[in-house]
Amino acid sequence: MKIKYAVPVVFFVALVIIQKENNIISRVSDKLALKQTPQTPIHAGRSGSALARRNVSVPSLAEPSSAFTLMKRHLERYRKRQLEAAPIINGRKDILLLATTRTGSSFVGEFFNQHGDNMFYLYEPLWHVEKMLTLETGGTNATATAKAYCNVLRHLFLCDFSLLESFIEPLPMDHITASLFRRESSSSLCQEAVCSPFVKGVYERYRCRNTRCGPLNLTMASESCLLKEHRAIKVVRVRQLEILRPLAEDPRLNVKFIQLVRDPRAVLSSRMVAFPGKYKTWNNWLTNKDADIDDNEVKKLKSNCDNIRMSVELGLRQPLWLRNRYMLVRYEDVARSPVNKASEMYKFTGIPFTPQVKDWILKSTQVSKENRGLYSTQKNSTEQVEKWRFSLPYKAVQLVQKVCGSTLKLFGYRFVTSEEMLRDESISLIEDFL
Ligand SMILES: *[C@@H]1O[C@H](CO)[C@@H](O)[C@H](O)[C@H]1NC(C)=O
Ligand SMILES: *[C@@H]1O[C@H](CO)[C@@H](O)[C@H](O)[C@H]1NC(C)=O
Ligand SMILES: *[C@@H]1O[C@H](CO)[C@@H](O)[C@H](O)[C@H]1NC(C)=O
Ligand SMILES: *[C@@H]1O[C@H](CO)[C@@H](O)[C@H](O)[C@H]1NC(C)=O
């Protein structure tokens, strides 16, 4: 008993000693301190906003990433505990893959989509919710969307499409829709059991690729979902892990959260290519010497980084409601060894890793050069993962480092201090994870 408490105490004392070194360490250890005191209720929201109110310190560039070291140690401990505590138990699992755009989430989502007959996989169902709740200003009311996201996900994990239906435009009639976003990305929605007879003359934008099916009958989808053992949903729209707490606490569900993150510099680079319209002001700033960067763009970038960082901090803190339910994955590690990472994710969820998934990964990561889809990028992973280093102007890299510094540090992405360093491939910008 005594030893059991002594270990965290020693660890905490050690933390206090190094606390003065670094602002970020103190933030993480604050949380660890909270965790060591069971009587203290943890209000993620409160500590989250307290964090946000503090000035973001731009870490000095030469400094080794001590926040990352700390997180690594923390991860090791919780992972060990997780493996001890979570043997593969039979029973249903609800997997939620949380990411943001351009972090490789489609690729990682496939790890579950390819699982086989036991898995019901949905790709971005929240697209409809966000679309309907988008205000005239182009933004959304964060409180309202968070609530809707959580409720829709809860219904979907229970194989109930009724709430999602109310967000689909045009509104489905008799539970039939020709407009479900990216239907073809869910193999579960194009299987025979969900494939109603093809109807001539009905245009379906997101129709099944390999099978000719009629518009989606959501009653059939729901019936098929209920017959599957596990469910997995991929989302890029949830900003804060915290809003999903009701899912973890719902006794009808058994949710496992997998959060996928990627170097914000790489994400920016990829988004500028993927959404040139949205990044017009960035491009203007980068190409025009006299142009200033739009304040709002910087704020958006900062808020994205902060949201991801706060979600990860919450996940790693492992409050009771998240215990054994949270896994953090860096896209760079997936790209380096996709099969190992996929197998680790399966181990975490407690679902056996199937040969189909492994075969799919091997096949997809060995696509020839001329077939330059998303998955072909895996061939020379090191090269692909670091491609942004040659496309993103140094000026933009500096800005991301300034605005997202604490996020970079926490996840183990190294800062560059010169353009030469940025372009020098022999210098790795990724700290080794576990
Ligand atoms: C935060 O930054 C502002 C403006 O740069 C400054 O006025 C303020 O004193 C800083 N607060 C702290 C706690 O450092
Ligand atoms: C956002 O939505 C919440 C809940 O629906 C509502 O109470 C609040 O007034 C809304 N805020 C704004 C700024 O519209
Ligand atoms: C949709 O599927 C359900 C369940 O299989 C079936 O009862 C219903 O008739 C179908 N709807 C249409 C319009 O075909
Ligand atoms: C991948 O590309 C990097 C950089 O061009 C190179 O150093 C490495 O040898 C390549 N790896 C493989 C497996 O081809």
Side-chain angles (χ1 to χ4, degrees):
M1 244 359 208
K2 271 180 187 159
I3 290 172
K4 202 169 148 199
Y5 288 106
V7 173
V9 167
V10 168
F11 181 59
F12 180 57
V13 168
L15 279 179
V16 172
I17 294 166
I18 47 177
Q19 191 170 15
K20 292 191 184 85
E21 273 181 31
N22 187 313
N23 215 335
I24 295 161
I25 288 187
S26 78
R27 289 180 200 165
V28 178
S29 59
D30 279 347
K31 290 180 178 162
L32 290 176
L34 271 178
K35 198 179 132 212
Q36 307 296 351
T37 323
Q39 298 93 330
T40 316
I42 297 166
H43 296 300
R46 199 196 56 206
S47 67
S49 57
L51 267 179
R53 276 198 305 275
R54 278 191 213 174
N55 287 350
V56 178
S57 66
V58 180
S60 92
L61 298 173
E63 201 177 313
S65 179
S66 35
F68 177 68
T69 312
L70 192 67
M71 182 179 80
K72 211 162 124 174
R73 207 180 315 157
H74 187 53
L75 266 175
E76 266 156 19
R77 281 189 314 146
Y78 102 76
R79 195 184 186 195
K80 216 163 136 197
R81 197 170 59 205
Q82 202 154 54
L83 292 180
E84 282 161 6
I88 292 189
I89 334 165
N90 290 326
R92 210 185 90 202
K93 306 287 177 345
D94 305 294
I95 301 153
L96 191 62
L97 177 61
L98 290 163
T100 51
T101 53
R102 313 311 292 179
T103 54
S105 64
S106 297
F107 179 67
V108 175
E110 287 296 315
F111 295 177
F112 298 101
N113 192 33
Q114 299 294 331
H115 178 265
D117 281 344
N118 260 343
M119 178 77 73
F120 192 85
Y121 174 77
L122 290 173
Y123 178 99
E124 293 303 329
L126 299 183
W127 183 86
H128 293 284
V129 183
E130 182 187 51
K131 187 151 184 268
M132 185 159 282
L133 296 182
T134 296
L135 308 166
E136 274 173 17
T137 56
T140 51
N141 174 334
T143 320
T145 48
K147 209 168 157 199
Y149 289 164
C150 186
N151 277 330
V152 168
L153 289 172
R154 183 208 310 269
H155 279 74
L156 291 175
F157 277 131
L158 294 168
C159 299
D160 176 353
F161 286 83
S162 59
L163 191 56
L164 178 64
E165 278 188 41
S166 64
F167 289 97
I168 298 175
E169 282 177 305
L171 198 65
M173 295 244 298
D174 296 331
H175 313 292
I176 308 281
T177 178
S179 317
L180 191 85
F181 179 65
R182 296 286 296 268
R183 171 188 182 178
E184 76 279 7
S185 297
S186 306
S187 60
S188 318
L189 295 181
C190 289
Q191 273 171 359
E192 205 178 326
V194 187
C195 184
S196 47
F198 181 72
V199 190
K200 250 193 168 161
V202 176
Y203 176 70
E204 210 186 348
R205 179 162 177 212
Y206 301 109
R207 60 195 171 276
C208 296
R209 274 186 223 115
N210 302 323
T211 340
R212 242 181 163 206
C213 299
L216 181 60
N217 180 335
L218 289 163
T219 309
M220 287 164 91
S222 167
E223 287 170 355
S224 171
C225 171
L226 285 167
L227 293 174
K228 310 264 174 165
E229 192 172 6
H230 311 296
R231 278 125 227 184
I233 305 178
K234 166 189 114 77
V235 299
V236 293
R237 296 180 158 76
V238 172
R239 298 275 162 258
Q240 290 276 352
L241 176 60
E242 195 192 335
I243 70 153
L244 301 173
R245 179 169 178 170
L247 296 182
E249 290 177 338
D250 190 321
R252 295 166 299 176
L253 306 180
N254 184 8
V255 185
K256 302 276 186 179
F257 302 97
I258 299 180
Q259 185 167 14
L260 179 69
V261 301
R262 186 181 182 188
D263 188 326
R265 295 165 298 192
V267 172
L268 175 67
S269 172
S270 175
R271 282 188 185 154
M272 284 172 67
V273 175
F275 316 119
K278 273 193 185 165
Y279 283 86
K280 245 204 276 198
T281 53
W282 281 87
N283 278 314
N284 186 36
W285 173 62
L286 290 169
T287 48
N288 186 343
K289 262 195 171 152
D290 304 322
D292 275 332
I293 183 73
D294 185 344
D295 250 8
N296 279 327
E297 292 299 321
V298 178
K299 270 189 203 142
K300 253 191 262 169
L301 176 67
K302 175 163 163 42
S303 130
N304 283 342
C305 282
D306 287 348
N307 279 330
I308 297 168
R309 180 177 47 77
M310 284 190 253
S311 294
V312 170
E313 282 170 344
L314 174 64
L316 297 180
R317 202 194 312 151
Q318 298 269 293
L320 208 55
W321 65 271
L322 266 181
R323 200 139 300 170
N324 295 334
R325 295 191 185 281
Y326 178 84
M327 180 182 188
L328 173 66
V329 177
R330 290 189 312 187
Y331 174 66
E332 292 80 4
D333 298 317
V334 174
R336 273 186 194 167
S337 56
V339 173
N340 287 346
K341 270 290 156 187
S343 130
E344 235 176 65
M345 284 181 218
Y346 270 93
K347 200 174 207 172
F348 159 71
T349 60
I351 302 171
F353 186 51
T354 58
Q356 291 103 291
V357 179
K358 189 174 173 184
D359 289 348
W360 180 86
I361 294 172
L362 292 175
K363 215 172 75 204
S364 316
T365 53
Q366 275 150 31
V367 178
S368 59
K369 268 253 161 76
E370 58 268 23
N371 199 349
R372 298 196 81 227
L374 171 70
Y375 311 129
S376 65
T377 60
Q378 305 297 315
K379 194 170 185 185
N380 183 333
S381 301
T382 324
E383 201 172 64
Q384 292 305 326
V385 152
E386 310 229 330
K387 219 169 67 181
W388 65 271
R389 294 175 64 174
F390 299 94
S391 54
L392 194 64
Y394 183 55
K395 191 165 134 183
V397 171
Q398 283 177 302
L399 182 67
V400 179
Q401 292 184 164
K402 193 170 150 205
V403 172
C404 299
S406 43
T407 308
L408 287 166
K409 285 194 104 187
L410 183 66
F411 298 166
Y413 299 128
R414 293 188 186 122
F415 286 65
V416 297
T417 48
S418 68
E419 179 146 14
E420 292 68 47
M421 183 181 174
L422 172 64
R423 315 286 184 216
D424 183 351
E425 275 177 289
S426 69
I427 303 171
S428 166
L429 299 185
I430 303 163
E431 309 241 16
D432 281 337
F433 221 17
L434 296 176

